[in-house]
Amino acid sequence: MNSLLRCCLIKPINIKNTTSFINKLNPKSIIQKSNNYNNINKNILNKFKDSSSNYFINSNKILEICNNNNNNNKYNVNKRNYSSSSNSGNNNNNNYNNKNNNNNNESFYKKFENSFEIKRIKDILFIIVGTFVIFKIYDNKIGIVFCENEIDKETILNDPYDKIPNEIIVELKDSAKDDNIIEESDEDDGIKKISSFKLFFKTIGNDIWLFGFGIITAFFSSWVGLQIPKVFGVLIDCTKNGDSLQGPAIQAIFILLAQAGLNFLYSTMISVACERYSARLRSTLFGAMLEQEIGFFDQNSTGDLINRLSSDVQLVRSALKHSVSLGVKSFGQIVGGVISLILISPKLSLGMMTILPTMVSVGTFYAGWLKSLSVRSQRAQAQSTIVAEEAIGNIRTVQAFSNQHYESERFIEKNQHSLALSTESGVQIGIFQGVTSLALNSVSLLVYWYGGTLVSRGEMTGGQLTSFIIHTMNMQSSFSQLSILFTQIMSAMGGMQRITELINRVPLINSNQGFKLRELKGEIKFINVDFKYPTRPHVHVLNGLNLTLKPGQVVALAGSSGGGKSTIAGLLERFYDISNGDITIDGYSIKQLNAKWLRSRIGIVSQEPSLFATTILENLRYGNPNATEDEIIEAAKLANAHQFISNFPKGYETIVGERGVQLSGGQKQRIAIARAILKNPQIIILDEATSALDSQSELLVQTALDNLMKGRTTLVIAHRLSTVQNADLIGVLSHGKIAEFGNHNELMNHKGLYYKLVQRQLSQQQQ
Ligand SMILES: Nc1ncnc2c1ncn2[C@@H]1O[C@H](COP(=O)(O)OP(=O)(O)OP(=O)(O)O)[C@@H](O)[C@H]1O
Ligand SMILES: [Mg+2]
């Protein structure tokens, strides 16, 4: 490391470098690219992560300044300051002497200085951000050192040659040198997490106003509602005293009409706001799910994820809606009711106030316990849904094995468990409601008794007692509504937590990050690749695999079933990240490349082609959404699919059923091939692409595939000898490694594994 530092050369950064530079400063990509990750003190790393938001602001600022000053020539910085103090080993100085770049370099540098503290010690340039991160730039690499404190920093600055510990070296692809890099993604890498609270405000957006007005209107409605008992009391007293009823009656009508109007307003506003909110939440959640890496879907069942998308969002939506429509109103009624009761009769209210809080606390405690019971019952119900979904999804297998009874039993068993819990929950809720109503009715009885006594003593009027009783009854129903709402809110909070967790989950593979290449030649290298599936961390599927596919070459993979051939195809698509080694495409590590871009350049015909439950046309268009109908038909002809499609009464408009169930295996494969042709990729993966075709169709499709493969790097996985032997090179996979590599004749002469495989197949064919 020291020798590397000694011979390094400091030079100004080309303005074009900034995007690249800043992107590389992204802590996540640094961590991903570092082989020294384990050497770094975890605490320091965490600190770095914590400071990331601050840090991002800085780097964004620089980017902004640089962009603004892109064409600004006014800076006249003494270039000597930034030029190299040594010229050893630098062949790229020409790039930086380019006249067009000078001013850009200088303006960038000037601004760079303003944002960071820059120190030059001997021939190393240090850029210090905050107190504990130091970047030094040399050649086209940046080294990053994490310093825990000022003392660390000083030590490194004082003697940079000997004291630099655990640095991470990140290579900068200099865009001046590398014209092939066309774009780097600036998309958020998802490090910033959001709380449930913030997520609520972000998702509800401008509808917060509607929601807020809804709450205010609900409060008004409950306040108006509080006037009703009062007016009724007045009406009774007027009747008793023989006064005119007209005034109070008109007042009562107005109050009732006002309340009806307010009820309509708040419930409409809240409903609209909540429906829009839940639709947005569902979309955000679905979007977050789609961004997760494939390993995540290996670990979470479809049923479970669908449940989150439907049940959890539903729970949140209804709790939110009811919190306002019932909660706010009931709360308003209780508070207003208490005040009214005190105003009507302090003595009677005092009696009631001693009993009510005790009842409410006991009720709340009990409701909390009920909530946990209902969560358990919901979970059990979700389990039974998963069983049902699995059975229906695999109905052909279920019926082929005549296992309807078995599946039904499995469902009943899960259902029984859920039933037991929900029955218990139902009984407990019944007890809760029974006890609550008994308690509340007892309170009413006490009010009648004590209130009657007060009326007979002349301490309150009959009308006042009536108002008091109506208030008590309203409060009683408000209390029971609140207790139901409480359980609902508790389960919704659980749901919201699960939703937030998923939305916050940073995918292990961020497919938006990394750069794209202007030109893709299609050279693929697997270098000492080790791989284990995340769900089976103890099974090494690939063990130091080395494989090279030169641009335009057709390389076939042979080997026993379960040997890892499809796994190699999946790794090339970056569905999973490898544990050791590297996979490079045109010399760039697959981890540096933008995965979405990469996948768009790879055409795969997989072992089990899956289609969507729509028309054949739409399924074909999935390969290239911009393809015209003529292009689609042309691709279908090439894939030998046009004929059978045209024979369907509805032709290209034929619906293929769920996962293409209404088509034969060979038809599905031909559609998948046409889809790949439409994509026009530079790299092709054919994983048993023609295994379901008869030899006649295979011959026809093979011609199409040969056309498709021309000039493109192709990885062919096939069991059939005929497909394998035409490849330029053949790799035989054994124990997670390429055990033999060469063309058909070479491998046959070698008389090793490939020879054995061929012999076995030939003898099978003869039988
Ligand atoms: N998603 C997964 N999670 C865990 N293990 C997996 C997963 N997919 C495959 N495996 C395991 O990885 C190993 C290699 O599987 P792979 O599908 O790559 O084999 P293959 O060589 O393509 O076999 P075949 O010729 O039968 O298609 C197998 O042992 C398999 O059980
Ligand atoms: Mg396979």
Side-chain angles (χ1 to χ4, degrees), residues 298 533 535-536 541 560-567 576 607 719:
D298 287 351
Y533 278 98
T535 42
R536 287 198 203 133
V541 180
S560 53
S561 174
K565 301 182 295 295
S566 302
T567 304
Y576 301 90
Q607 209 165 2
H719 284 136

Side-chain angles (χ1 to χ4, degrees), residues 396 611-612 614-616 619 644-645 648 651 654-672:
R396 279 157 199 269
L611 302 182
F612 292 92
T614 171
T615 61
I616 291 179
N619 269 295
F644 84 79
I645 298 173
F648 287 133
T654 309
I655 301 279
V656 299
E658 207 173 344
R659 296 193 203 104
V661 74
Q662 292 169 20
L663 296 181
S664 77
Q667 288 172 337
K668 269 195 279 186
Q669 279 196 331
R670 278 177 280 174
I671 288 185

Side-chain angles (χ1 to χ4, degrees), residues 701-715:
V701 173
Q702 197 59 50
T703 333
L705 287 179
D706 287 345
N707 286 336
L708 175 69
M709 291 191 278
K710 226 169 260 163
R712 300 162 208 241
T713 316
T714 310
L715 184 69

Side-chain angles (χ1 to χ4, degrees), residues 390-408:
E390 221 172 47
I392 294 170
N394 293 311
I395 190 69
R396 279 157 199 269
T397 318
V398 173
Q399 293 207 356
F401 286 89
S402 298
N403 270 348
Q404 290 95 321
H405 183 67
Y406 168 73
E407 290 298 335
S408 182

Side-chain angles (χ1 to χ4, degrees), residues 36 52 65 91 145 159 168 174 262 301 309 330 392 417 518 680 713 754 767:
N36 295 343
S52 60
I65 295 163
N91 299 323
V145 184
D159 194 351
I168 299 175
D174 184 346
L262 287 170
S301 75
L309 207 53
S330 304
I392 294 170
H417 182 52
R518 195 180 300 280
N680 192 20
T713 316
Y754 181 72
Q767 276 165 17

